Amino acid sequence: MEYISTRASGSGDAEPLNFEQVTLAGLAGDGGLYVPTHWPKLTSAEIADMAGLPYSEIAVRVMRPFIGDVLTEDELRDLCEQAYGRFAHKAVTPLVQLDGQHWLLELFHGPTLAFKDVALQLLGLLFETFLARQDKHLTVVGATSGDTGSAAIDALAGREKVDIFMLHPDGRISDVQRRQMTTVLAPNVHNIAMDGSFDDAQAMVKRMFADPEVTDRFAISAVNSINWARLMAQIVYYFYAASQLGAPHRKVAFSVPTGNFGDVFAGYVAAQMGLPIERLIVATNVNDILHRALSNGDYSAGTVTATAAPSMDIQISSNFERLLFDLEGRDGAKTAARMKAFEETRDMQIAPEMLAKAASIFSSERVDAESMALAMSQAQEAAGQVIDPHTAIGLSAARSADVDPSVPIVTLATAHPAKFRDAVERATGSRPALPRRIGDLFDREEACDKLPGDYDAVKAFVTSRATPANG
Ligand SMILES: Cc1ncc(COP(=O)(O)O)c(C=O)c1O
Ligand SMILES: N[C@@H](CCOP(=O)(O)O)C(=O)O
Protein backbone atom coordinates (compact mmCIF):
# COMPACT_ATOMS: atom_id res chain seq x y z
CA MET A 1 0.00 0.00 0.00
CA GLU A 2 1.26 3.48 -0.87
CA TYR A 3 0.24 6.81 0.65
CA ILE A 4 -0.13 10.32 -0.76
CA SER A 5 -0.87 13.70 0.77
CA THR A 6 -4.36 15.18 0.49
CA ARG A 7 -2.57 18.25 -0.92
CA ALA A 8 -0.32 16.44 -3.45
CA SER A 9 -0.40 18.21 -6.82
CA GLY A 10 -0.42 14.96 -8.81
CA SER A 11 2.46 16.23 -10.96
CA GLY A 12 4.72 13.49 -9.58
CA ASP A 13 6.78 15.94 -7.48
CA ALA A 14 6.15 13.95 -4.30
CA GLU A 15 6.88 10.22 -4.30
CA PRO A 16 4.24 8.05 -2.56
CA LEU A 17 5.37 6.74 0.84
CA ASN A 18 4.89 3.39 2.55
CA PHE A 19 3.15 2.76 5.89
CA GLU A 20 6.36 2.96 7.94
CA GLN A 21 7.27 6.31 6.39
CA VAL A 22 3.85 7.90 6.93
CA THR A 23 3.66 6.63 10.51
CA LEU A 24 6.99 8.24 11.37
CA ALA A 25 6.23 11.41 9.38
CA GLY A 26 2.81 12.06 10.95
CA LEU A 27 1.86 15.00 8.72
CA ALA A 28 2.89 15.64 5.10
CA GLY A 29 5.45 18.39 4.42
CA ASP A 30 2.92 20.27 2.25
CA GLY A 31 0.56 20.57 5.24
CA GLY A 32 -1.76 17.82 3.95
CA LEU A 33 -2.76 14.58 5.64
CA TYR A 34 -1.63 11.20 4.40
CA VAL A 35 -4.20 8.86 2.87
CA PRO A 36 -3.82 5.51 1.08
CA THR A 37 -3.75 5.78 -2.73
CA HIS A 38 -6.97 3.69 -2.75
CA TRP A 39 -9.35 2.13 -0.24
CA PRO A 40 -8.69 -1.62 0.02
CA LYS A 41 -11.77 -3.87 -0.16
CA LEU A 42 -12.72 -6.85 1.98
CA THR A 43 -15.15 -9.33 0.45
CA SER A 44 -18.43 -10.34 2.10
CA ALA A 45 -16.88 -13.77 2.73
CA GLU A 46 -13.88 -12.18 4.49
CA ILE A 47 -16.21 -10.09 6.67
CA ALA A 48 -18.40 -13.13 7.43
CA ASP A 49 -15.26 -15.02 8.53
CA MET A 50 -14.69 -12.43 11.29
CA ALA A 51 -17.70 -13.71 13.28
CA GLY A 52 -16.56 -14.85 16.71
CA LEU A 53 -12.88 -14.01 16.23
CA PRO A 54 -10.99 -12.28 19.05
CA TYR A 55 -10.42 -8.52 18.70
CA SER A 56 -6.68 -8.88 17.93
CA GLU A 57 -7.34 -11.23 15.06
CA ILE A 58 -9.95 -8.93 13.52
CA ALA A 59 -7.41 -6.12 13.93
CA VAL A 60 -4.86 -8.09 11.88
CA ARG A 61 -7.35 -8.81 9.09
CA VAL A 62 -8.59 -5.21 8.87
CA MET A 63 -5.19 -3.50 9.10
CA ARG A 64 -2.95 -5.76 7.02
CA PRO A 65 -3.94 -4.26 3.63
CA PHE A 66 -2.85 -0.83 4.91
CA ILE A 67 0.46 -2.04 6.28
CA GLY A 68 1.65 -3.87 3.20
CA ASP A 69 5.04 -5.52 3.50
CA VAL A 70 6.54 -3.27 6.18
CA LEU A 71 5.49 -5.83 8.81
CA THR A 72 4.90 -9.55 8.37
CA GLU A 73 1.49 -10.84 9.40
CA ASP A 74 3.09 -12.53 12.43
CA GLU A 75 4.81 -9.30 13.47
CA LEU A 76 1.51 -7.43 13.18
CA ARG A 77 -0.31 -10.12 15.17
CA ASP A 78 2.32 -9.96 17.90
CA LEU A 79 1.98 -6.15 18.17
CA CYS A 80 -1.83 -6.37 18.30
CA GLU A 81 -1.72 -9.02 21.00
CA GLN A 82 0.65 -6.87 23.08
CA ALA A 83 -1.43 -3.70 22.56
CA TYR A 84 -4.84 -5.23 23.29
CA GLY A 85 -3.50 -7.48 26.04
CA ARG A 86 -3.31 -4.33 28.21
CA PHE A 87 -7.09 -3.76 28.08
CA ALA A 88 -9.07 -4.47 31.24
CA HIS A 89 -11.92 -6.25 29.41
CA LYS A 90 -11.31 -9.59 27.67
CA ALA A 91 -13.48 -8.46 24.73
CA VAL A 92 -11.28 -5.30 24.43
CA THR A 93 -14.25 -3.20 23.15
CA PRO A 94 -17.41 -4.92 24.45
CA LEU A 95 -20.89 -4.21 23.04
CA VAL A 96 -23.66 -3.51 25.55
CA GLN A 97 -27.33 -3.60 24.54
CA LEU A 98 -29.50 -0.74 25.84
CA ASP A 99 -32.84 -1.63 24.21
CA GLY A 100 -34.24 -3.16 21.03
CA GLN A 101 -32.38 -0.79 18.68
CA HIS A 102 -29.58 0.83 20.68
CA TRP A 103 -26.15 -0.45 21.66
CA LEU A 104 -23.06 1.03 23.26
CA LEU A 105 -19.61 0.04 22.04
CA GLU A 106 -17.42 0.51 25.11
CA LEU A 107 -14.09 1.81 23.88
CA PHE A 108 -12.77 2.87 27.28
CA HIS A 109 -11.25 -0.28 28.78
CA GLY A 110 -7.67 0.67 27.90
CA PRO A 111 -5.10 2.03 30.36
CA THR A 112 -6.27 5.68 30.24
CA LEU A 113 -10.02 5.06 29.98
CA ALA A 114 -10.83 6.55 26.54
CA PHE A 115 -11.07 5.29 22.97
CA LYS A 116 -7.69 6.83 22.19
CA ASP A 117 -5.96 3.88 23.84
CA VAL A 118 -7.19 1.56 21.08
CA ALA A 119 -4.97 3.27 18.53
CA LEU A 120 -2.26 4.71 20.74
CA GLN A 121 -1.28 1.46 22.47
CA LEU A 122 -0.56 0.11 18.99
CA LEU A 123 1.08 3.31 17.73
CA GLY A 124 3.56 3.27 20.63
CA LEU A 125 4.64 -0.23 19.58
CA LEU A 126 4.77 0.73 15.90
CA PHE A 127 7.07 3.67 16.68
CA GLU A 128 9.33 1.41 18.71
CA THR A 129 9.44 -1.26 15.98
CA PHE A 130 10.18 1.21 13.18
CA LEU A 131 12.73 3.23 15.19
CA ALA A 132 14.64 0.03 16.04
CA ARG A 133 15.30 -0.28 12.29
CA GLN A 134 16.73 3.23 11.97
CA ASP A 135 19.36 5.26 13.73
CA LYS A 136 16.99 8.09 14.55
CA HIS A 137 15.43 9.86 17.54
CA LEU A 138 11.77 10.89 17.26
CA THR A 139 10.20 14.03 18.73
CA VAL A 140 6.44 13.66 19.07
CA VAL A 141 4.53 16.93 19.30
CA GLY A 142 0.83 16.70 20.10
CA ALA A 143 -2.21 18.76 21.04
CA THR A 144 -4.88 17.44 23.35
CA SER A 145 -8.24 18.35 24.75
CA GLY A 146 -7.50 15.73 27.40
CA ASP A 147 -7.73 12.19 26.08
CA THR A 148 -5.19 11.89 23.27
CA GLY A 149 -2.57 13.34 25.61
CA SER A 150 -3.04 10.83 28.40
CA ALA A 151 -3.25 7.88 25.99
CA ALA A 152 -0.15 8.97 24.06
CA ILE A 153 1.84 9.59 27.22
CA ASP A 154 0.92 6.16 28.59
CA ALA A 155 1.95 4.57 25.28
CA LEU A 156 5.28 6.42 24.97
CA ALA A 157 6.50 7.10 28.54
CA GLY A 158 9.94 5.67 29.11
CA ARG A 159 10.44 4.50 25.51
CA GLU A 160 13.96 4.95 24.20
CA LYS A 161 14.42 7.11 21.09
CA VAL A 162 11.17 9.09 21.60
CA ASP A 163 10.39 12.36 23.39
CA ILE A 164 6.81 13.53 23.70
CA PHE A 165 5.71 17.16 24.06
CA MET A 166 1.99 17.44 24.77
CA LEU A 167 0.13 20.78 24.67
CA HIS A 168 -3.20 21.10 26.45
CA PRO A 169 -5.44 24.16 26.82
CA ASP A 170 -4.86 25.36 30.38
CA GLY A 171 -7.93 24.96 32.61
CA ARG A 172 -10.10 23.48 29.86
CA ILE A 173 -9.77 19.77 30.59
CA SER A 174 -11.06 17.73 33.52
CA ASP A 175 -8.91 17.27 36.62
CA VAL A 176 -8.70 13.52 35.99
CA GLN A 177 -7.57 14.08 32.38
CA ARG A 178 -4.92 16.58 33.50
CA ARG A 179 -3.56 14.36 36.23
CA GLN A 180 -3.44 11.33 33.91
CA MET A 181 -0.88 13.34 31.92
CA THR A 182 0.97 15.42 34.47
CA THR A 183 1.59 12.65 36.99
CA VAL A 184 3.65 10.65 34.50
CA LEU A 185 7.14 11.76 35.51
CA ALA A 186 9.22 9.86 32.90
CA PRO A 187 12.10 12.02 31.59
CA ASN A 188 10.91 11.75 27.96
CA VAL A 189 7.46 13.22 28.79
CA HIS A 190 6.94 17.01 28.63
CA ASN A 191 3.52 18.43 29.53
CA ILE A 192 2.68 21.99 28.52
CA ALA A 193 -0.42 23.86 29.74
CA MET A 194 -0.99 26.57 27.18
CA ASP A 195 -3.19 29.66 27.10
CA GLY A 196 -5.90 29.25 24.45
CA SER A 197 -8.12 26.50 23.06
CA PHE A 198 -7.42 23.05 21.65
CA ASP A 199 -7.66 24.59 18.16
CA ASP A 200 -4.83 27.02 19.04
CA ALA A 201 -2.69 24.12 20.26
CA GLN A 202 -3.45 22.04 17.17
CA ALA A 203 -2.53 24.97 14.89
CA MET A 204 0.83 25.34 16.66
CA VAL A 205 1.59 21.66 16.23
CA LYS A 206 0.82 21.83 12.51
CA ARG A 207 2.95 24.97 12.17
CA MET A 208 5.90 23.16 13.73
CA PHE A 209 5.70 20.47 11.02
CA ALA A 210 6.13 23.22 8.40
CA ASP A 211 8.95 25.08 10.20
CA PRO A 212 12.37 24.21 8.73
CA GLU A 213 14.12 25.50 11.87
CA VAL A 214 12.41 22.59 13.64
CA THR A 215 12.26 19.93 10.93
CA ASP A 216 15.90 20.37 9.79
CA ARG A 217 17.17 19.32 13.24
CA PHE A 218 14.43 17.14 14.69
CA ALA A 219 12.48 14.18 13.33
CA ILE A 220 9.02 15.23 14.42
CA SER A 221 5.95 13.05 14.37
CA ALA A 222 2.32 13.13 15.45
CA VAL A 223 0.12 11.12 17.79
CA ASN A 224 -3.03 13.06 16.94
CA SER A 225 -5.46 11.64 14.42
CA ILE A 226 -3.65 13.58 11.70
CA ASN A 227 -1.31 10.53 11.84
CA TRP A 228 -2.81 7.92 9.50
CA ALA A 229 -1.84 5.02 11.81
CA ARG A 230 -4.21 6.41 14.47
CA LEU A 231 -7.20 6.25 12.14
CA MET A 232 -6.25 2.86 10.75
CA ALA A 233 -6.38 1.27 14.18
CA GLN A 234 -9.78 2.86 14.84
CA ILE A 235 -11.35 1.23 11.73
CA VAL A 236 -11.09 -2.14 13.44
CA TYR A 237 -13.81 -1.66 16.04
CA TYR A 238 -16.42 -0.83 13.41
CA PHE A 239 -15.80 -4.27 11.90
CA TYR A 240 -15.71 -5.89 15.35
CA ALA A 241 -19.07 -4.41 16.42
CA ALA A 242 -20.86 -4.90 13.08
CA SER A 243 -19.66 -8.48 12.86
CA GLN A 244 -21.22 -9.22 16.26
CA LEU A 245 -24.50 -7.71 15.09
CA GLY A 246 -24.67 -9.83 11.94
CA ALA A 247 -22.54 -8.11 9.27
CA PRO A 248 -22.19 -8.60 6.37
CA HIS A 249 -25.76 -9.99 6.28
CA ARG A 250 -27.23 -7.11 8.28
CA LYS A 251 -26.61 -3.36 8.06
CA VAL A 252 -25.59 -1.39 11.15
CA ALA A 253 -25.63 2.37 11.88
CA PHE A 254 -23.13 4.12 14.14
CA SER A 255 -23.50 7.30 16.16
CA VAL A 256 -20.12 8.91 16.81
CA PRO A 257 -19.41 11.76 19.24
CA THR A 258 -17.21 13.96 17.09
CA GLY A 259 -14.62 16.72 17.42
CA ASN A 260 -11.64 16.30 15.12
CA PHE A 261 -13.61 14.06 12.71
CA GLY A 262 -11.10 11.22 13.25
CA ASP A 263 -13.23 8.53 14.83
CA VAL A 264 -16.12 8.97 12.41
CA PHE A 265 -13.75 9.13 9.43
CA ALA A 266 -12.49 5.70 10.51
CA GLY A 267 -16.12 4.53 10.15
CA TYR A 268 -16.23 6.05 6.68
CA VAL A 269 -13.12 4.07 5.74
CA ALA A 270 -14.74 0.87 7.10
CA ALA A 271 -17.67 1.54 4.76
CA GLN A 272 -15.32 2.16 1.80
CA MET A 273 -13.71 -1.20 2.59
CA GLY A 274 -17.05 -2.96 2.21
CA LEU A 275 -18.59 -2.99 5.69
CA PRO A 276 -22.36 -2.52 5.22
CA ILE A 277 -22.88 0.67 7.25
CA GLU A 278 -26.37 2.12 6.93
CA ARG A 279 -25.47 5.52 8.35
CA LEU A 280 -22.78 7.38 10.28
CA ILE A 281 -24.34 9.91 12.63
CA VAL A 282 -21.93 12.76 13.34
CA ALA A 283 -22.81 13.95 16.86
CA THR A 284 -21.43 17.32 17.95
CA ASN A 285 -21.82 19.45 21.05
CA VAL A 286 -22.52 23.20 20.65
CA ASN A 287 -19.14 23.52 18.91
CA ASP A 288 -21.04 22.48 15.84
CA ILE A 289 -18.91 23.24 12.80
CA LEU A 290 -19.31 19.67 11.53
CA HIS A 291 -23.08 19.69 11.98
CA ARG A 292 -23.31 22.99 10.09
CA ALA A 293 -20.97 21.73 7.37
CA LEU A 294 -22.86 18.49 6.78
CA SER A 295 -26.35 19.93 7.08
CA ASN A 296 -25.97 23.14 5.07
CA GLY A 297 -22.42 23.38 3.76
CA ASP A 298 -21.25 26.03 6.25
CA TYR A 299 -17.75 25.05 7.38
CA SER A 300 -16.86 28.31 9.11
CA ALA A 301 -14.96 28.22 12.38
CA GLY A 302 -16.51 30.16 15.24
CA THR A 303 -14.88 30.60 18.61
CA VAL A 304 -14.71 27.57 20.87
CA THR A 305 -17.28 27.37 23.68
CA ALA A 306 -16.25 25.48 26.82
CA THR A 307 -18.70 22.61 27.55
CA ALA A 308 -19.10 19.64 29.87
CA ALA A 309 -17.80 17.47 27.02
CA PRO A 310 -14.43 19.27 26.80
CA SER A 311 -12.70 16.72 24.58
CA MET A 312 -15.05 17.78 21.78
CA ASP A 313 -14.57 21.52 22.25
CA ILE A 314 -13.08 21.81 18.78
CA GLN A 315 -14.01 24.10 15.89
CA ILE A 316 -11.40 23.12 13.33
CA SER A 317 -11.72 19.42 12.55
CA SER A 318 -8.47 18.24 10.99
CA ASN A 319 -9.76 15.03 9.44
CA PHE A 320 -12.53 16.77 7.56
CA GLU A 321 -9.77 17.49 5.01
CA ARG A 322 -9.54 13.75 4.32
CA LEU A 323 -13.26 13.63 3.52
CA LEU A 324 -13.10 16.78 1.37
CA PHE A 325 -10.27 15.16 -0.62
CA ASP A 326 -12.51 12.17 -1.42
CA LEU A 327 -15.59 14.31 -2.10
CA GLU A 328 -13.53 16.40 -4.51
CA GLY A 329 -12.54 13.34 -6.56
CA ARG A 330 -9.17 12.97 -4.79
CA ASP A 331 -7.84 16.12 -6.44
CA GLY A 332 -4.96 17.27 -4.23
CA ALA A 333 -4.48 20.61 -5.96
CA LYS A 334 -8.13 21.54 -5.36
CA THR A 335 -7.95 20.37 -1.73
CA ALA A 336 -4.75 22.38 -1.19
CA ALA A 337 -6.34 25.56 -2.57
CA ARG A 338 -9.49 25.01 -0.52
CA MET A 339 -7.54 24.44 2.72
CA LYS A 340 -5.20 27.41 2.11
CA ALA A 341 -8.25 29.67 1.68
CA PHE A 342 -9.80 28.25 4.85
CA GLU A 343 -6.59 28.82 6.82
CA GLU A 344 -6.67 32.48 5.76
CA THR A 345 -10.39 33.22 6.21
CA ARG A 346 -11.60 30.48 8.65
CA ASP A 347 -14.55 30.10 6.30
CA MET A 348 -15.46 27.48 3.70
CA GLN A 349 -18.72 26.83 1.90
CA ILE A 350 -19.24 23.32 0.57
CA ALA A 351 -20.93 22.90 -2.81
CA PRO A 352 -24.34 21.12 -2.91
CA GLU A 353 -23.01 18.25 -5.09
CA MET A 354 -20.26 17.49 -2.55
CA LEU A 355 -22.82 17.68 0.28
CA ALA A 356 -25.10 15.27 -1.56
CA LYS A 357 -22.26 12.73 -1.83
CA ALA A 358 -21.55 13.08 1.89
CA ALA A 359 -25.25 12.65 2.69
CA SER A 360 -25.23 9.16 1.17
CA ILE A 361 -23.57 7.97 4.38
CA PHE A 362 -23.33 10.84 6.90
CA SER A 363 -26.04 12.64 8.81
CA SER A 364 -25.44 14.94 11.76
CA GLU A 365 -26.98 16.15 14.99
CA ARG A 366 -26.07 19.03 17.33
CA VAL A 367 -26.65 18.18 20.98
CA ASP A 368 -26.92 20.97 23.56
CA ALA A 369 -26.12 20.80 27.27
CA GLU A 370 -29.68 20.00 28.29
CA SER A 371 -30.11 17.07 25.88
CA MET A 372 -26.69 15.75 26.86
CA ALA A 373 -27.62 15.75 30.56
CA LEU A 374 -30.96 14.13 29.75
CA ALA A 375 -29.23 11.33 27.83
CA MET A 376 -26.99 10.66 30.83
CA SER A 377 -29.86 10.46 33.30
CA GLN A 378 -32.05 8.36 30.96
CA ALA A 379 -29.24 5.86 30.29
CA GLN A 380 -28.92 5.39 34.02
CA GLU A 381 -32.62 5.16 34.77
CA ALA A 382 -33.70 3.06 31.77
CA ALA A 383 -30.71 0.79 31.26
CA GLY A 384 -28.62 1.09 34.43
CA GLN A 385 -25.70 2.48 32.41
CA VAL A 386 -23.54 5.33 33.70
CA ILE A 387 -22.23 7.13 30.63
CA ASP A 388 -19.85 10.04 30.18
CA PRO A 389 -20.86 13.38 28.58
CA HIS A 390 -19.26 12.57 25.17
CA THR A 391 -21.04 9.23 24.95
CA ALA A 392 -24.24 10.99 26.00
CA ILE A 393 -23.93 13.32 23.01
CA GLY A 394 -23.62 10.28 20.75
CA LEU A 395 -26.56 8.53 22.36
CA SER A 396 -28.78 11.60 22.25
CA ALA A 397 -27.97 11.99 18.52
CA ALA A 398 -28.66 8.29 17.92
CA ARG A 399 -32.10 8.65 19.47
CA SER A 400 -32.97 11.71 17.34
CA ALA A 401 -31.63 10.35 14.05
CA ASP A 402 -33.89 9.17 11.28
CA VAL A 403 -32.83 5.51 11.01
CA ASP A 404 -35.05 2.55 10.06
CA PRO A 405 -36.12 0.91 13.37
CA SER A 406 -34.96 -2.49 12.12
CA VAL A 407 -31.34 -1.27 11.86
CA PRO A 408 -29.26 -1.51 15.06
CA ILE A 409 -27.58 1.76 16.05
CA VAL A 410 -24.27 1.49 17.86
CA THR A 411 -23.19 4.56 19.82
CA LEU A 412 -19.46 4.74 20.40
CA ALA A 413 -18.88 5.07 24.15
CA THR A 414 -15.67 7.04 23.89
CA ALA A 415 -14.72 7.65 27.53
CA HIS A 416 -15.19 6.17 30.98
CA PRO A 417 -17.58 8.26 33.12
CA ALA A 418 -14.96 8.60 35.87
CA LYS A 419 -12.94 10.91 33.62
CA PHE A 420 -15.74 13.48 33.86
CA ARG A 421 -17.01 12.88 37.40
CA ASP A 422 -18.32 16.40 38.02
CA ALA A 423 -20.47 16.50 34.86
CA VAL A 424 -21.81 12.99 35.45
CA GLU A 425 -22.67 13.85 39.05
CA ARG A 426 -24.45 17.05 37.98
CA ALA A 427 -26.58 15.09 35.48
CA THR A 428 -27.29 11.92 37.43
CA GLY A 429 -26.74 12.74 41.09
CA SER A 430 -24.13 10.01 41.51
CA ARG A 431 -20.37 10.40 41.31
CA PRO A 432 -18.50 7.65 39.44
CA ALA A 433 -15.56 6.17 41.35
CA LEU A 434 -12.10 6.10 39.82
CA PRO A 435 -11.25 2.58 38.62
CA ARG A 436 -8.84 0.79 40.96
CA ARG A 437 -5.83 1.10 38.66
CA ILE A 438 -5.90 4.91 38.95
CA GLY A 439 -7.36 5.00 42.46
CA ASP A 440 -4.34 6.95 43.78
CA LEU A 441 -4.34 9.52 40.94
CA PHE A 442 -4.98 12.43 43.27
CA ASP A 443 -2.09 11.46 45.56
CA ARG A 444 0.48 11.53 42.78
CA GLU A 445 2.95 14.38 42.17
CA GLU A 446 2.33 16.56 39.06
CA ALA A 447 4.84 18.12 36.63
CA CYS A 448 3.77 20.56 33.94
CA ASP A 449 5.13 23.74 32.36
CA LYS A 450 2.85 26.69 31.73
CA LEU A 451 3.37 28.67 28.52
CA PRO A 452 1.63 31.60 26.81
CA GLY A 453 -0.32 30.83 23.63
CA ASP A 454 2.58 32.01 21.56
CA TYR A 455 4.24 29.92 18.82
CA ASP A 456 7.77 31.18 19.47
CA ALA A 457 7.52 30.38 23.18
CA VAL A 458 6.33 26.83 22.47
CA LYS A 459 8.92 26.31 19.73
CA ALA A 460 11.74 27.54 22.01
CA PHE A 461 10.54 25.17 24.76
CA VAL A 462 10.45 22.16 22.44
CA THR A 463 13.70 22.81 20.59
CA SER A 464 15.63 23.45 23.81
CA ARG A 465 14.61 20.10 25.29
CA ALA A 466 14.17 17.71 22.34
CA THR A 467 16.89 15.36 21.15
CA PRO A 468 18.00 16.00 17.54
CA ALA A 469 17.07 13.37 14.95
CA ASN A 470 20.59 11.95 14.81
CA GLY A 471 20.97 11.76 18.60
C1 LIG B 1 -14.02 11.23 24.83
C2 LIG B 1 -13.99 11.73 23.44
N1 LIG B 1 -15.08 11.54 22.68
C3 LIG B 1 -15.11 11.96 21.40
C4 LIG B 1 -14.04 12.62 20.83
C5 LIG B 1 -14.14 13.04 19.39
O1 LIG B 1 -13.34 12.22 18.58
P1 LIG B 1 -12.77 12.77 17.21
O2 LIG B 1 -11.89 13.92 17.52
O3 LIG B 1 -12.01 11.64 16.63
O4 LIG B 1 -13.93 13.20 16.39
C6 LIG B 1 -12.89 12.84 21.59
C7 LIG B 1 -11.70 13.53 21.07
O5 LIG B 1 -11.61 14.09 20.05
C8 LIG B 1 -12.86 12.36 22.91
O6 LIG B 1 -11.76 12.50 23.63
N1 LIG C 1 -10.37 14.77 21.84
C1 LIG C 1 -9.00 14.83 21.51
C2 LIG C 1 -8.66 15.97 20.61
C3 LIG C 1 -8.61 15.50 19.19
O1 LIG C 1 -7.48 14.81 19.06
P1 LIG C 1 -7.13 13.68 18.02
O2 LIG C 1 -5.86 13.17 18.57
O3 LIG C 1 -8.18 12.62 18.04
O4 LIG C 1 -6.92 14.31 16.72
C4 LIG C 1 -8.22 14.78 22.81
O5 LIG C 1 -8.78 14.32 23.78
O6 LIG C 1 -7.10 15.18 22.88
Side-chain angles (χ1 to χ4, degrees):
M1 175 62 80
E2 292 188 321
Y3 291 83
I4 48 171
S5 162
T6 50
R7 300 190 194 180
S9 69
S11 61
D13 50 352
E15 286 296 308
L17 303 182
N18 69 20
F19 177 73
E20 177 173 339
Q21 291 168 314
V22 295
T23 301
L24 291 179
L27 186 70
D30 58 14
L33 278 67
Y34 285 116
V35 282
T37 49
H38 62 279
W39 298 122
K41 305 284 178 205
L42 297 182
T43 63
S44 288
E46 285 171 318
I47 298 171
D49 280 350
M50 291 179 186
L53 291 179
Y55 189 92
S56 296
E57 188 54 33
I58 293 183
V60 171
R61 293 179 187 208
V62 171
M63 294 192 292
R64 65 187 168 195
F66 294 106
I67 288 173
D69 57 9
V70 305
L71 292 174
T72 65
E73 192 167 313
D74 283 345
E75 285 170 331
L76 175 60
R77 185 167 288 109
D78 178 48
L79 296 184
C80 289
E81 282 169 3
Q82 282 185 57
Y84 301 121
R86 290 198 66 203
F87 278 57
H89 198 293
K90 284 241 165 353
V92 183
T93 62
L95 257 184
V96 174
Q97 186 163 16
L98 295 179
D99 58 38
Q101 187 177 23
H102 292 274
W103 303 74
L104 291 178
L105 181 63
E106 293 186 348
L107 300 173
F108 52 72
H109 294 283
T112 67
L113 313 177
F115 77 99
K116 313 285 180 169
D117 289 319
V118 178
L120 283 161
Q121 284 297 312
L122 184 68
L123 184 56
L125 295 167
L126 287 170
F127 278 153
E128 188 169 79
T129 306
F130 296 152
L131 287 171
R133 298 172 179 177
Q134 325 194 357
D135 193 15
K136 178 156 138 180
H137 191 97
L138 202 66
T139 299
V140 166
V141 190
T144 186
S145 50
D147 294 322
T148 295
S150 42
I153 286 171
D154 182 274
L156 297 180
R159 285 198 196 276
E160 265 186 75
K161 295 173 116 180
V162 186
D163 277 307
I164 175 164
F165 292 84
M166 188 51 67
L167 293 159
H168 72 262
D170 194 19
R172 298 198 193 197
I173 61 177
S174 79
D175 55 355
V176 174
Q177 287 179 309
R178 191 193 69 247
R179 284 187 155 269
Q180 282 182 307
M181 296 192 282
T182 58
T183 61
V184 179
L185 303 179
N188 69 332
V189 171
H190 308 272
N191 275 293
I192 302 167
M194 200 195 87
D195 288 331
S197 66
F198 168 79
D199 286 350
D200 299 325
Q202 181 170 241
M204 281 198 198
V205 167
K206 287 184 176 172
R207 189 166 162 193
M208 232 173 257
F209 277 83
D211 184 341
E213 287 177 15
V214 179
T215 55
D216 286 354
R217 277 184 65 209
F218 303 97
I220 60 172
S221 188
V223 283
N224 283 106
S225 57
I226 52 177
N227 190 321
W228 167 256
R230 271 279 311 275
L231 291 197
M232 176 193 71
Q234 292 174 215
I235 301 166
V236 174
Y237 44 72
Y238 287 90
F239 278 90
Y240 181 73
S243 155
Q244 287 184 45
L245 292 172
H249 313 295
R250 187 186 190 201
K251 285 191 161 193
V252 178
F254 289 89
S255 179
V256 188
T258 310
N260 227 1
F261 204 69
D263 214 6
V264 75
F265 189 80
Y268 167 82
V269 178
Q272 303 311 304
M273 292 174 75
L275 189 68
I277 294 182
E278 168 76 14
R279 185 130 297 276
L280 290 167
I281 302 158
V282 174
T284 74
N285 63 19
V286 294
N287 296 294
D288 61 354
I289 185 169
L290 289 166
H291 172 60
R292 283 185 282 112
L294 291 165
S295 53
N296 62 30
D298 172 22
Y299 189 80
S300 56
T303 47
V304 177
T305 303
T307 74
S311 305
M312 285 161 48
D313 290 347
I314 298 176
Q315 281 282 11
I316 297 180
S317 300
S318 293
N319 288 286
F320 201 57
E321 177 168 343
R322 286 186 163 118
L323 179 67
L324 290 169
F325 178 67
D326 261 17
L327 296 177
E328 202 133 46
R330 302 203 127 214
D331 183 329
K334 277 194 188 161
T335 309
R338 181 184 275 286
M339 295 311 301
K340 278 252 147 16
F342 175 73
E343 280 156 16
E344 277 157 25
T345 61
R346 292 172 63 88
D347 179 54
M348 181 195 299
Q349 298 303 314
I350 300 164
E353 53 284 8
M354 286 170 72
L355 274 190
K357 273 197 220 168
S360 64
I361 180 147
F362 292 105
S363 61
S364 66
E365 303 283 337
R366 172 192 197 269
V367 178
D368 64 16
E370 200 183 328
S371 305
M372 179 191 73
L374 188 66
M376 278 195 267
S377 60
Q378 282 179 343
Q380 188 161 15
E381 281 154 25
Q385 290 293 319
V386 181
I387 60 174
D388 97 289
H390 306 80
T391 306
I393 286 171
L395 187 57
S396 175
R399 293 199 186 280
S400 314
D402 182 17
V403 176
D404 184 321
S406 68
V407 173
I409 309 181
V410 176
T411 295
L412 303 197
T414 50
H416 191 291
K419 285 193 106 161
F420 305 96
R421 301 172 303 164
D422 296 342
V424 175
E425 187 174 14
R426 275 196 303 275
T428 66
S430 43
R431 190 170 179 79
L434 289 178
R436 235 198 358 239
R437 61 193 137 138
I438 58 161
D440 66 344
L441 190 65
F442 283 80
D443 303 326
R444 299 180 195 164
E445 186 190 336
E446 288 190 86
C448 180
D449 284 275
K450 166 101 184 75
L451 292 181
D454 169 58
Y455 178 71
D456 290 329
V458 173
K459 174 175 158 182
F461 183 93
V462 172
T463 53
S464 64
R465 287 166 175 77
T467 306
N470 52 9

